[in-house]
Amino acid sequence: MYRCLLACLILIICSHGYYGKQTVCPDNCLCDGRTYDCSDNDLSVIPSGISIAAKSLDLQKNQITELSNHPFSKLRLLRILNLGFNSLSQINYNDFNGLVNLRTLDISFNRINTIHKNSFRNLNKISDIVLRGNELTNIDGIFTDMNGLVRLDLSNNQIDTISSESFRNMTNLRYLMLGSNRITSIEVKAFNDNSLITFISLTGNPVIDVDGLFIKNNVLSFIELTNCSLETFPKGLPPMTRFLYLDQNNIRSITKKEIEPVESLVNLFISENEIQFIERDAFTGLKSLQELWINFNGITEVPIPPINAKKLHIDNNNIAHVKKDDFQFGSKLETLSIKNNQISVINAETFENLTNLMSLYLGGNNINVLPDNAFKPLLLLKDLGLTGMDFNYLGKDVFNKLNNLEKLTLSYVLIGENALQGNIFKHLSNLRILNLQESPELASKVLESEDMMKSLFTVEAINLMDNNLKTVNSNIMKYLPRLHTIKFERNQFHCDRRLLWLWKWIDMQKYKFENADSLQCFSPPQLRGNTFLSLKSDQFVPTTLKPVVLSTKGQFISKTTQSPHVILNSTNLGNETLTFKKLNDTVNENTDSSSFPPGYVPNQKDLVRSQNQQDKDYEEKINKILIITVVTTLAVVLFAVIVTTVSCLKCNQKKDSYNRTDTFPDNDVTFYVISDEAPPLPPPNTTRKDRGSVSSTRDITNDNVFIIDNDSS
Ligand SMILES: *[C@@H]1O[C@H](CO)[C@@H](O)[C@H](O)[C@H]1NC(C)=O
Ligand SMILES: *[C@@H]1O[C@H](CO)[C@@H](O)[C@H](O)[C@H]1NC(C)=O
Ligand SMILES: *[C@@H]1O[C@H](CO)[C@@H](O)[C@H](O)[C@H]1NC(C)=O
Ligand SMILES: *[C@@H]1O[C@H](CO)[C@@H](O)[C@H](O)[C@H]1NC(C)=O
Ligand SMILES: *[C@@H]1O[C@H](CO)[C@@H](O)[C@H](O)[C@H]1NC(C)=O
Ligand SMILES: *[C@@H]1O[C@H](CO)[C@@H](O)[C@H](O)[C@H]1NC(C)=O
């Protein structure tokens, strides 16, 4: 007992003295205990003065070109060494001498083309070597017999051949990254000694065939073969394979026999191949399969969904018919994407057994008719995508039973003259996101229908981009009291005083959105191209345009005869009991109250302050615009975001000198949606498919329901 204590004491004293030598921290380094951070410093040699007690040494992002004179020979306790992002071109025999305790060596992103065969030989404890992003062509012999190595990252090099020498006697290797090399040839026994390997990536190598390569790798569960040159489904995959990435290859067909042996598959990606044929029951034996991605191929039939699958992506194929029993085993499916096919008929029967479906993407098909109750069995549906459709009949009860629907995408939709049978939104009592981008006729009808607007009172975000709108009435905010995001970009706004509410509103909220800057006037000619925020309130021209009112129920008063005022009882906002009251026909063009958001009557002080602020902001804005023009030009083309009411109201409450009233400034009964020009045509050289689809495979579905996104259907 005493002896033990004594030994401990001696050990403590000794080690204390030992570590006590660590006194100085080299220039340019940050030292924290035994951790030395000398990264990002233009160092060309390893700094001296690193304590022999050092445990971690970070030298990345310097200019080190060579490791001469065994720079690490004293660092026997070092565990982590990072030499990434330097300019090393070779690793010599003795470079890492002394690093007998090193666990992790990172030499990524140098220019290493040569590594001496025995360079890593004395790294007795090494488990992780990162050589990503170098210029290695031949790796034979370098790693042989390193039976302690667990992870080896050789991606982004120029390796062309893997031989049976390459990874011989590496019995502990678990993770092997070989992506983005030039590997065309892999010897059949190359991985035979790697019996513990669980992850292998060969992504981005022009390898044609991997048959039988992994036959001895019994615990291999994650195989990445994306963007290789495979022409058939790989044979001899280990039965434990759970995640298999075969996307971006040249596979033409898949049979049940080929796929059956991989019985543990959880996720299977075969997107972007050239598959024309899949045996209908090919996947039925895969009891663990949760996600199946066969999109961007040429299949013409819906394969039977694996019995437990949650996600089935068969979009962007050539499927023309969905048969009644296609989804009979789909009761576990939560996501189904069949957009961008050639389907022309769907009805409630089609989806009868998909009772757990939460996301359905149907856009870009040839469906012209959506009857009443089309989605009736989908009681749990949250997200419905109907992008790029050309409807000539939309039943008024088409969305019946979808009272869990939160997101509805109706972008790039054309509707025939009498397609809309009524208030299609009336069943959607939980809708939060509505996307009507580039659907001008539909958008007009919705905005002009009091009924529909009332049904949308739960909506929090609405996309109205590309809809040829000339103006939008401020009472959109009243109908949609929860609205916090509007996308308004690329309309044809006529900058008269009716839009002052928007101008003011953007101005007050501008710091919350990046793209408010890009909202422009389309007319009158003298204001064309000016951004809203570059204008002063008195530059908005008097209201002269007589809006076209397309009333669906005849309950709106034509603007050509009257401009009634409205009182909307704010305590009843969003309530079916909205009350309207006609007050006065005259519109006072000169009162500045219309430059403030609905419901506010500013006093004189506010008007002056607002103007000064406006000028100041304008200067700032111009400066900012100059700086960011280049950056935003691209971005601007993509998005315009304008946020609204909820935050607007809050913001206004702070400006307590405004008096709240429930009176709108002017012209508020009707939504002015003036579409006296033809609706925009699809961009030339694009098909419906192009407009509604995304090219990348895996991020096709944006599951974030809080964001308006155009691609989710
Ligand atoms: C594997 O490597 C270890 C240590 O490097 C060595 O002792 C052993 O002989 C090697 N085995 C074979 C079969 O080469
Ligand atoms: C696919 O791999 C090739 C190299 O084989 C590479 O040049 C190309 O960029 C990769 N494509 C994608 C989409 O990653
Ligand atoms: C729904 O599932 C049941 C039971 O599996 C089956 O009998 C029925 O035919 C299925 N319905 C459809 C339309 O596939
Ligand atoms: C607004 O609604 C409240 C509550 O329903 C009611 O007490 C009030 O009289 C209404 N005001 C007007 C102007 O209609
Ligand atoms: C509308 O508001 C009134 C008064 O606030 C309330 O009594 C009524 O239940 C509301 N109706 C609905 C449908 O929310
Ligand atoms: C309508 O407005 C005019 C001008 O603002 C005013 O003189 C008139 O009294 C108003 N009429 C009513 C009924 O409020």
Side-chain angles (χ1 to χ4, degrees):
M1 180 65 181
Y2 281 111
R3 219 187 284 166
C4 175
L5 270 181
L6 196 66
C8 287
L9 205 64
I10 289 171
L11 204 76
I12 289 167
I13 292 168
C14 284
S15 55
H16 187 260
Y18 188 61
Y19 296 130
K21 283 182 195 157
Q22 176 218 325
T23 45
V24 286
C25 184
D27 292 347
N28 306 324
C29 298
L30 295 169
C31 307
D32 178 11
R34 295 164 66 193
T35 299
Y36 288 72
D37 178 0
C38 312
S39 60
D40 216 347
N41 257 316
D42 291 333
L43 297 174
S44 56
V45 294
I46 317 286
S48 56
I50 292 165
S51 160
I52 56 173
K55 199 170 162 185
S56 165
L57 176 56
D58 188 350
L59 288 163
Q60 67 175 310
K61 300 181 186 154
N62 282 296
Q63 318 261 330
I64 298 164
T65 54
E66 56 177 6
L67 304 172
S68 47
N69 301 323
H70 327 312
F72 309 113
S73 60
K74 294 217 175 68
L75 305 182
R76 303 181 69 84
L77 296 175
L78 200 65
R79 280 166 163 261
I80 301 171
L81 176 59
N82 191 341
L83 285 161
F85 298 94
N86 277 283
S87 306
L88 297 168
S89 59
Q90 51 183 7
I91 303 292
N92 297 310
Y93 176 39
N94 282 325
D95 284 353
F96 298 120
N97 261 13
L99 295 171
V100 291
N101 271 299
L102 199 67
R103 304 297 204 274
T104 301
L105 175 61
D106 187 339
I107 343 176
S108 53
F109 299 100
N110 279 266
R111 289 181 218 138
I112 298 166
N113 50 48
T114 314
I115 297 180
H116 188 281
K117 278 194 169 141
N118 292 322
S119 302
F120 303 128
R121 208 55 58 178
N122 295 324
L123 304 175
N124 300 333
K125 300 243 172 92
I126 194 82
S127 64
D128 188 0
I129 296 182
V130 186
L131 276 160
R132 185 189 187 86
N134 280 289
E135 293 164 14
L136 293 171
T137 51
N138 187 343
I139 53 166
D140 276 0
I142 298 174
F143 308 102
T144 311
D145 294 332
M146 293 189 72
N147 53 14
L149 204 62
V150 171
R151 195 174 83 114
L152 178 58
D153 185 349
L154 289 164
S155 37
N156 296 83
N157 277 280
Q158 288 152 29
I159 302 163
D160 49 22
T161 307
I162 302 292
S163 77
S164 56
E165 256 318 271
S166 306
F167 309 112
R168 190 167 57 77
N169 197 14
M170 297 181 72
T171 47
N172 256 306
L173 195 63
R174 286 174 169 78
Y175 309 95
L176 178 60
M177 293 79 154
L178 289 166
S180 300
N181 277 281
R182 300 174 180 170
I183 301 166
T184 49
S185 142
I186 304 177
E187 232 177 279
V188 171
K189 293 179 176 164
F191 306 111
N192 273 14
D193 285 359
N194 316 123
S195 55
L196 292 183
I197 199 159
T198 61
F199 175 103
I200 192 164
S201 172
L202 282 160
T203 288
N205 284 289
V207 59
I208 290 172
D209 163 12
V210 296
D211 290 354
L213 277 184
F214 310 115
I215 210 147
K216 291 268 167 74
N217 306 115
N218 288 328
V219 296
L220 185 56
S221 77
F222 199 113
I223 306 178
E224 267 197 12
L225 293 162
T226 300
N227 188 20
C228 294
S229 303
L230 303 180
E231 288 170 357
T232 54
F233 192 87
K235 294 184 180 63
L237 293 175
M240 288 296 285
T241 310
R242 299 171 68 226
F243 298 88
L244 182 57
Y245 291 84
L246 292 169
D247 33 336
Q248 298 174 22
N249 280 287
N250 307 318
I251 300 170
R252 296 210 163 74
S253 68
I254 291 184
T255 62
K256 190 176 171 74
K257 197 166 159 240
E258 283 174 314
I259 212 159
E260 229 169 19
V262 208
E263 60 192 22
S264 305
L265 275 182
V266 175
N267 287 4
L268 176 57
F269 298 86
I270 341 175
S271 315
E272 294 177 78
N273 276 274
E274 290 158 23
I275 302 172
Q276 313 278 339
F277 172 74
I278 292 189
E279 265 182 291
R280 203 154 173 259
D281 59 349
F283 305 103
T284 52
L286 305 178
K287 302 267 189 293
S288 305
L289 200 64
Q290 306 258 308
E291 288 189 27
L292 178 55
W293 297 69
I294 330 176
N295 45 336
F296 293 95
N297 278 289
I299 59 172
T300 52
E301 264 195 318
V302 178
I304 298 175
I307 189 86
N308 289 310
K310 291 202 162 74
K311 297 189 178 178
L312 179 60
H313 294 262
I314 47 176
D315 50 272
N316 294 281
N317 278 292
N318 293 323
I319 300 167
H321 302 289
V322 182
K323 292 191 285 294
K324 184 174 174 249
D325 59 349
D326 274 347
F327 300 111
Q328 61 178 316
F329 301 116
S331 63
K332 299 262 173 66
L333 274 184
E334 291 172 5
T335 300
L336 173 61
S337 176
I338 47 177
K339 65 185 178 179
N340 299 333
N341 279 288
Q342 274 109 51
I343 298 163
S344 51
V345 177
I346 65 126
N347 52 40
E349 260 185 357
T350 318
F351 304 121
E352 190 172 282
N353 278 357
L354 296 177
T355 45
N356 280 301
L357 204 64
M358 295 205 274
S359 303
L360 174 62
Y361 307 114
L362 262 181
N365 278 296
N366 304 331
I367 300 166
N368 305 123
V369 173
L370 276 183
D372 286 345
N373 301 312
F375 307 101
K376 195 174 156 195
L378 309 181
L379 297 177
L380 300 181
L381 201 67
K382 282 197 153 91
D383 185 357
L384 175 60
L386 295 168
T387 289
M389 301 282 221
D390 191 348
F391 291 120
N392 50 38
Y393 185 96
L394 268 180
K396 70 180 186 330
D397 292 317
V398 57
F399 300 132
N400 192 17
K401 298 288 182 197
L402 297 189
N403 41 2
N404 282 304
L405 198 72
E406 292 180 357
K407 179 175 176 187
L408 177 60
T409 306
L410 282 164
S411 52
Y412 306 96
V413 161
L414 300 175
I415 53 166
E417 184 87 336
N418 299 312
L420 210 55
Q421 301 299 306
N423 177 4
I424 54 174
F425 302 120
K426 73 171 169 242
H427 302 285
L428 306 179
S429 51
N430 274 301
L431 194 65
R432 294 161 60 203
I433 298 173
L434 177 62
N435 188 341
L436 293 169
Q437 180 174 355
E438 206 177 321
S439 302
E441 308 96 329
L442 182 59
S444 308
K445 294 210 159 127
V446 172
L447 288 171
E448 288 166 11
S449 158
E450 186 195 354
D451 254 12
M452 286 200 260
M453 289 307 284
K454 278 203 228 168
S455 297
L456 292 175
F457 79 98
T458 53
V459 167
E460 293 165 19
I462 190 166
N463 184 340
L464 289 166
M465 289 165 69
D466 301 298
N467 275 322
N468 249 8
L469 301 177
K470 287 246 161 74
T471 193
V472 173
N473 200 286
S474 60
N475 61 5
I476 187 170
M477 309 302 180
K478 292 290 186 188
Y479 279 115
L480 310 182
R482 301 185 191 165
L483 201 62
H484 57 63
T485 303
I486 301 185
K487 290 191 178 196
F488 255 155
E489 186 114 331
R490 296 194 303 274
N491 280 293
Q492 303 194 340
F493 287 124
H494 179 69
C495 287
D496 63 11
R497 306 186 71 78
R498 277 176 313 199
L499 271 178
L500 273 173
W501 68 270
L502 181 56
W503 169 86
K504 185 60 206 167
W505 181 74
I506 295 168
D507 187 43
M508 291 192 308
Q509 300 291 319
K510 62 182 180 264
Y511 38 87
K512 290 192 180 165
F513 336 60
E514 289 147 35
N515 291 319
D517 284 351
S518 56
L519 203 66
Q520 291 181 352
C521 300
F522 183 79
S523 61
Q526 70 270 26
L527 295 181
R528 187 167 188 161
N530 287 330
T531 65
F532 268 49
L533 289 170
S534 69
L535 296 177
K536 294 183 176 150
S537 60
D538 58 8
Q539 286 177 281
F540 282 72
V541 300
T543 303
T544 50
L545 252 171
K546 295 296 181 203
V548 176
V549 177
L550 304 168
S551 168
T552 50
K553 290 190 92 185
Q555 67 201 84
F556 299 117
I557 298 149
S558 166
K559 303 309 287 183
T560 52
T561 56
Q562 286 183 306
S563 303
H565 279 204
V566 148
I567 283 185
L568 186 62
N569 192 335
S570 66
T571 56
N572 283 340
L573 272 184
N575 187 311
E576 295 290 333
T577 64
L578 288 173
T579 51
F580 290 82
K581 193 167 157 193
K582 191 177 154 195
L583 271 192
N584 205 324
D585 290 349
T586 50
V587 177
N588 189 347
E589 293 289 351
N590 298 319
T591 163
D592 223 342
S593 65
S594 56
S595 70
F596 289 87
Y600 297 90
V601 178
N603 59 29
Q604 198 52 39
K605 217 170 78 203
D606 287 314
L607 293 176
V608 173
R609 194 175 62 192
S610 155
Q611 201 59 62
N612 292 342
Q613 186 62 30
Q614 184 70 13
D615 293 340
K616 213 172 96 205
D617 291 345
Y618 177 52
E619 267 176 46
E620 278 171 21
K621 196 159 291 295
I622 287 297
N623 290 337
K624 204 166 115 207
I625 287 170
L626 288 177
I627 296 165
I628 60 174
T629 299
V630 178
V631 183
T632 46
T633 307
L634 285 172
V636 153
V637 178
L638 292 172
F639 291 108
V641 179
I642 304 160
V643 174
T644 29
T645 13
V646 176
S647 46
C648 181
L649 291 174
K650 270 185 204 148
C651 155
N652 291 331
Q653 274 155 10
K654 270 187 269 164
K655 303 192 174 187
D656 43 15
S657 48
Y658 298 148
N659 296 318
R660 287 207 62 159
T661 82
D662 288 327
T663 315
F664 286 171
D666 60 8
N667 293 6
D668 275 326
V669 156
T670 321
F671 292 96
Y672 295 75
V673 182
I674 305 164
S675 27
D676 50 16
E677 279 167 39
L681 294 167
N685 304 326
T686 63
T687 60
R688 263 297 161 84
K689 237 173 217 192
D690 293 322
R691 290 187 290 138
S693 77
V694 217
S695 56
S696 147
T697 322
R698 275 179 230 160
D699 55 353
I700 275 163
T701 315
N702 185 340
D703 291 331
N704 185 349
V705 292
F706 296 95
I707 291 170
I708 291 190
D709 91 278
N710 312 317
D711 296 331
S712 67
S713 94

